[in-house]
Amino acid sequence: MTNDTVTLDQLTGWLTRFRDLVTDHVAYLTELDSAIGDADHGSNMTRGMGAVIEKLQASPATAVDELFKGVGMTLVTSVGGASGPLYGTFFLRIGTEAGPVATLDAPGLAAALRAGLGGVVARGKAEAGDKTMFDVLAPALDAFDAALVVSSDISSAARAAHTAAQSGRDATEPLLARKGRASYLGERSIGHIDPGAASTALLFQALSEILDGE
Ligand code: ADP
Ligand code: MG
């Protein structure tokens, strides 16, 4: 399937698929966070995304900004760990950038995601190689933008972003953590995939699957 635009329904579907993927991978995310954190990343993400989808089912959003601002607020308020404010700010900034529209075209989605990354950086101050979700978000968005230079098809851009996200996730394994709880471990953080990087790879898997109509 090719898409020049993404609809409110597809964006809601993206979030629902992300909820499903973090739920399916809860044990994996917990295991990653037990190695270099406090073993709560799986439960943080499933609780947060569970609350997000419950709210959306009770009262569906009528515009893209409303959708993502609601998601962001729910994550900030329902997740205690670092990932709540970080993912929350990501989605809040996406909503602000998107505005009160019913669809986004490819450049619009790219700009919204880029604004979301800006929010994560504003909050967490992570840089490339710090072993965080940034190490997945940044290369995934670069791949998304690069694909859009070649074609305006959002589905293939999302597939490229997902591939880059997986590489970014795997590339966190040999890194020494410089941000968040894992940084307390120093050298002992080396040799483990970052849990937030792993959940962010699932975020791009969800986007790619929804746009491919799976
Ligand atoms: P906590 O660390 O509070 O237990 P989680 O376990 O839910 O929260 O989330 C941990 C993840 O958050 C890390 O794996 C990392 O990807 C991400 N993270 C932590 N601190 C930062 C930061 N300053 N910037 C970006 N991402 C961060
Ligand atoms: Mg944790």
Side-chain angles (χ1 to χ4, degrees):
M1 206 192 284
T2 63
N3 298 281
D4 284 342
T5 60
V6 58
T7 64
L8 186 57
D9 270 359
Q10 285 175 311
L11 292 167
T12 306
W14 173 31
L15 297 162
T16 309
R17 180 64 64 103
F18 183 45
R19 187 272 317 264
D20 293 344
L21 287 175
V22 294
T23 305
D24 289 349
H25 293 83
V26 63
Y28 164 68
L29 296 173
T30 300
E31 189 189 312
L32 294 178
D33 199 32
S34 9
I36 59 169
D38 55 354
D40 65 352
H41 191 59
S43 58
N44 283 342
M45 295 308 297
T46 51
R47 186 175 63 255
M49 288 311 298
V52 161
I53 300 308
E54 245 175 60
K55 281 198 186 174
L56 282 173
Q57 282 168 348
S59 89
T62 57
V64 176
D65 59 345
E66 183 195 327
L67 172 70
F68 287 111
K69 287 178 191 175
V71 170
M73 283 307 296
T74 303
L75 290 177
V76 169
T77 55
S78 67
V79 180
S83 57
L86 288 162
Y87 271 102
T89 307
F90 175 71
F91 288 119
L92 281 168
R93 293 279 181 103
I94 288 179
T96 305
E97 177 67 28
V101 295
T103 61
L104 287 174
D105 61 9
L109 179 58
L113 292 168
R114 191 59 69 181
L117 171 63
V120 170
V121 172
R123 261 246 175 211
K125 312 277 182 267
E127 294 174 16
D130 282 351
K131 195 180 181 103
T132 70
M133 58 192 288
F134 177 95
D135 292 319
V136 167
L137 266 179
L141 297 193
D142 288 347
F144 192 82
D145 291 349
L148 290 181
V149 173
V150 181
S151 148
S152 63
D153 176 32
I154 302 181
S155 305
S156 46
R159 279 196 294 275
H162 178 218
T163 302
Q166 289 173 305
S167 306
R169 173 200 63 204
D170 295 344
T172 63
E173 187 168 352
L175 296 175
L176 184 140
R178 288 200 212 91
K179 288 285 183 308
R181 220 173 258 285
S183 66
Y184 309 157
L185 290 181
E187 301 275 325
R188 280 183 295 135
S189 66
I190 292 173
H192 305 278
I193 287 175
D194 176 65
S199 61
T200 302
L202 296 175
L203 183 69
F204 287 95
Q205 180 180 336
L207 183 65
S208 174
E209 286 178 358
I210 276 303
L211 292 171
D212 276 333
E214 282 173 28

